[in-house]
Amino acid sequence: MDKILVTGANGMVGQELIRLLSREGYEVVATARGSRPAAFKPDNVRYVEADITHPFQLQEIMAREKPATVVHCAAMTQVDDCELKQNEAHSVNVEATARLLLDAEEFSSFFIFLSTDFVFDGLRGMYKEEDEVNPVSWYGQTKVEAEAIVQTAEIPWAIIRTCLVYGPREAGQRSNLYSWIKESLDEGKAIKVVDDQWRTPTYVADLARGIELVIRKKAAGIWHISGKDQISPYGMALKIAGSLGKDTNLITRVTADNFSQPGKRPAKTGFDISKASRELGYEPHSLDDIIGLLNS
């Protein structure tokens, strides 16, 4: 099987992808800042500490390992942090991507970049791959710039856009929408959840499977990989509460105007995943099925 290098290996997506690739028999080189996570137990996963903003660390790893495919998951993804620290966000999301792509052109044969629904303005939702990008936040802008760089690659490339990734939170990982709602309800905490933003939430294991399909098929181009159910965070919170048998009175419906946030969020995104379904065989689970499974 091919050797795969994965950046951002400490994050929720990185760890889930690495577990899947390991099970499928790939040789995996996992890179991230910080120490090796407990999740890396298989013999065919090798963890190498690296900072993607360092000018040479990843180049040295790439020259030594010569992976067939690079999956670039590492990014600064917190929308408000990106807005407040624009230079840092540009360094991580754009400049580091450009350097890694140059290394991949020298040592690899396929480059996969993980992107986001926040490249769109959110005026209509259910976006297709060919729809025009128009970000409303600095985070989205950095991803648009990085996507443009990837599309100049001299080797085959794929851009995988995803949307509101969720799943159980493991030790050392940041909260995601599902884990924040579940943990808050388990502790009896009242929460405020927006009902005027719409997404197609993506179960992390479905996303990992979608990425593996792109790797296996060497499927170049832009791919929308997400869940299939469009819903608001408030609607998702009600589903989680119902599945857990928790008091829905703990959940207050609010709008984005109730929050003062540095980074603007697009109102209505979500993806049309028919291309991925038709050409990759990608079929995500329903939101109800996953929430029921996670809370059983």
Side-chain angles (χ1 to χ4, degrees):
M1 296 289 281
D2 285 349
K3 182 188 291 187
I4 314 294
L5 184 138
V6 179
T7 69
N10 285 356
M12 178 172 65
V13 175
Q15 290 197 29
E16 188 67 33
L17 175 61
I18 287 160
R19 279 194 289 266
L20 174 61
L21 294 177
S22 173
R23 290 196 303 269
E24 295 290 337
Y26 294 91
E27 182 181 356
V28 182
V29 180
T31 72
R33 288 192 298 183
S35 58
R36 177 187 177 100
F40 296 124
K41 295 176 181 176
D43 293 336
N44 55 348
V45 175
R46 190 161 59 261
Y47 181 82
V48 185
E49 187 174 347
D51 180 352
I52 64 168
T53 63
H54 189 282
F56 304 117
Q57 282 185 357
L58 273 172
Q59 183 184 52
E60 293 169 357
I61 295 166
M62 292 281 289
R64 183 175 67 247
E65 298 291 347
K66 296 181 175 59
T69 298
V70 174
V71 184
H72 185 29
C73 298
M76 186 171 172
T77 59
Q78 300 296 94
V79 178
D80 294 333
D81 286 350
C82 288
E83 208 71 33
L84 295 170
K85 304 172 184 176
Q86 294 193 3
N87 289 339
E88 181 182 347
H90 196 271
S91 173
V92 173
N93 293 351
V94 182
E95 295 160 32
T97 300
R99 282 195 301 273
L100 181 59
L101 181 62
L102 286 173
D103 297 335
E105 287 174 338
E106 184 173 0
F107 301 113
S108 303
S109 57
F110 193 30
F111 187 88
I112 298 174
F113 177 68
L114 195 64
S115 193
T116 173
D117 57 323
F118 278 37
V119 300
F120 297 109
D121 54 25
L123 296 182
R124 63 176 184 82
M126 301 310 288
Y127 290 98
K128 295 184 177 182
E129 286 84 352
E130 61 270 20
D131 287 332
E132 184 176 354
V133 297
N134 185 32
V136 297
S137 66
W138 185 247
Y139 167 59
Q141 176 63 31
T142 63
K143 285 295 196 176
V144 166
E145 288 185 33
E147 284 191 8
I149 291 168
V150 171
Q151 291 179 65
T152 69
E154 295 179 356
I155 58 174
W157 55 267
I159 292 168
I160 297 177
R161 297 181 183 137
T162 193
C163 179
L164 192 62
V165 182
Y166 72 93
R169 182 163 70 104
E170 299 182 26
Q173 292 180 359
R174 285 198 302 261
S175 288
N176 58 81
L177 182 63
Y178 168 81
S179 67
W180 172 68
I181 293 168
K182 182 179 185 301
E183 290 167 14
S184 297
L185 294 176
D186 284 343
E187 295 169 12
K189 291 181 180 177
I191 54 176
K192 296 179 179 179
V193 191
V194 294
D195 197 31
D196 62 343
Q197 294 176 358
W198 293 82
R199 307 285 185 257
T200 45
T202 311
Y203 180 45
V204 64
D206 285 337
L207 174 57
R209 176 57 68 187
I211 296 171
E212 193 276 330
L213 287 169
V214 171
I215 294 170
R216 189 193 324 160
K217 294 175 179 287
K218 299 291 191 289
I222 299 174
W223 301 97
H224 284 182
I225 302 289
S226 77
K228 54 189 175 183
D229 304 296
Q230 192 181 47
I231 194 170
S232 72
Y234 175 73
M236 189 169 172
L238 292 181
K239 284 181 177 291
I240 294 169
S243 175
L244 291 169
K246 300 293 184 180
D247 185 0
T248 56
N249 290 325
L250 291 169
I251 305 168
T252 300
R253 177 189 176 277
V254 296
T255 67
D257 292 338
N258 290 91
F259 299 100
S260 177
Q261 297 174 303
K264 185 178 180 182
R265 276 74 169 165
K268 190 174 186 179
T269 66
F271 288 148
D272 179 334
I273 58 171
S274 58
K275 177 186 172 185
S277 176
R278 181 178 65 251
E279 299 185 24
L280 298 178
Y282 172 71
E283 291 298 335
H285 296 83
S286 73
L287 184 61
D288 285 339
D289 286 347
I290 293 301
I291 289 175
L293 177 66
L294 292 177
N295 295 337
S296 61

